[in-house]
Amino acid sequence: MKLYMTSGTYDYLKKIEDKHPNETMVTMQNPDTAVLIHETSAGTLFKEPRSYEVIDSSGSFDHAGFAVLNNIPVTDEGRPLFEHRFKNRAGLIENEPGFAAIRVLRPLESNTYIILTLWKDEKFFRDWQSSKAYEKAHENRGTESGIDKQPQIFSSPSYVTKYYIPEEDE
């Protein structure tokens, strides 16, 4: 499975999504930009997408109102260890109230992996951040066994982008 992203204005991207109702697509926005994601086993409809392979997946884009993209630059040497960590994650997030989906995305043209989580709304994401499941998922962070302490894994600091997914106009 592949996931493709493109940026633009919300109205322009929403028209593309609406034109392809049989495709798995979500248009999202924040105060700075809008992004359209397209998940497919076929080729994308975008002219110049950012392209990813989905290496772990759970849930669906249905009923998502809030998206969090954890962008993590990984060195070539660090890719196997990083992917192993996420392919063997505890999977506790799936049981959290308001959880819609997670996608672990391997970049096809850059070094920045994306951990995409989708939530019913921002409140559910914030609740997860203060949950025991979040603590468990991140319990090794900052310790000797944590991936963040492994040498040669990350090429630069990670960063988070957040988007809102407006409800469909009925």
Side-chain angles (χ1 to χ4, degrees):
M1 185 70 65
K2 300 278 193 301
L3 189 138
Y4 302 95
M5 293 185 199
T6 192
S7 301
T9 65
Y10 180 82
D11 291 340
Y12 177 77
L13 297 175
K14 188 64 177 154
K15 285 178 188 169
I16 295 171
E17 179 185 354
D18 291 345
K19 222 168 33 172
H20 302 281
N22 296 326
E23 296 289 334
T24 303
M25 297 179 136
V26 177
T27 307
M28 53 188 78
Q29 66 182 343
N30 65 28
D32 300 321
T33 190
V35 172
L36 176 56
I37 60 175
H38 178 208
E39 185 175 57
T40 180
S41 54
T44 187
L45 307 166
F46 305 155
K47 290 181 180 151
E48 294 183 28
R50 294 183 300 284
S51 304
Y52 302 87
E53 182 176 349
V54 178
I55 60 172
D56 188 23
S57 171
S58 180
S60 74
F61 297 166
D62 299 333
H63 311 295
F66 187 69
V68 179
L69 286 74
N70 192 355
N71 302 268
I72 307 170
V74 178
T75 63
D76 287 342
E77 303 84 37
R79 283 178 174 240
L81 182 59
F82 181 83
E83 289 186 18
H84 176 78
R85 157 74 173 83
F86 276 96
K87 287 177 182 176
N88 293 287
R89 63 187 179 78
L92 299 175
I93 194 172
E94 286 89 340
N95 300 319
E96 287 300 302
F99 170 83
I102 184 170
R103 300 292 186 272
V104 179
L105 306 175
R106 175 193 296 139
L108 298 180
E109 295 121 10
S110 76
N111 70 337
T112 303
Y113 284 74
I114 294 178
I115 312 306
L116 166 67
T117 57
L118 295 162
W119 301 88
K120 185 174 178 183
D121 64 37
E122 186 174 9
K123 179 193 178 306
F124 288 108
F125 169 71
R126 292 191 187 286
D127 289 348
W128 175 69
Q129 285 186 302
S130 60
S131 73
K132 295 287 184 199
Y134 183 88
E135 284 180 27
K136 178 73 175 158
H138 299 92
E139 69 184 346
N140 290 330
R141 183 185 287 169
T143 70
E144 287 302 313
S145 59
I147 194 170
D148 59 323
K149 292 295 184 181
Q150 303 299 315
Q152 309 301 320
I153 300 283
F154 304 107
S155 55
S156 59
S158 64
Y159 60 96
V160 174
T161 50
K162 299 175 183 176
Y163 296 92
Y164 296 92
I165 303 162
E167 289 186 36
E168 293 292 312
D169 297 331
E170 301 295 331

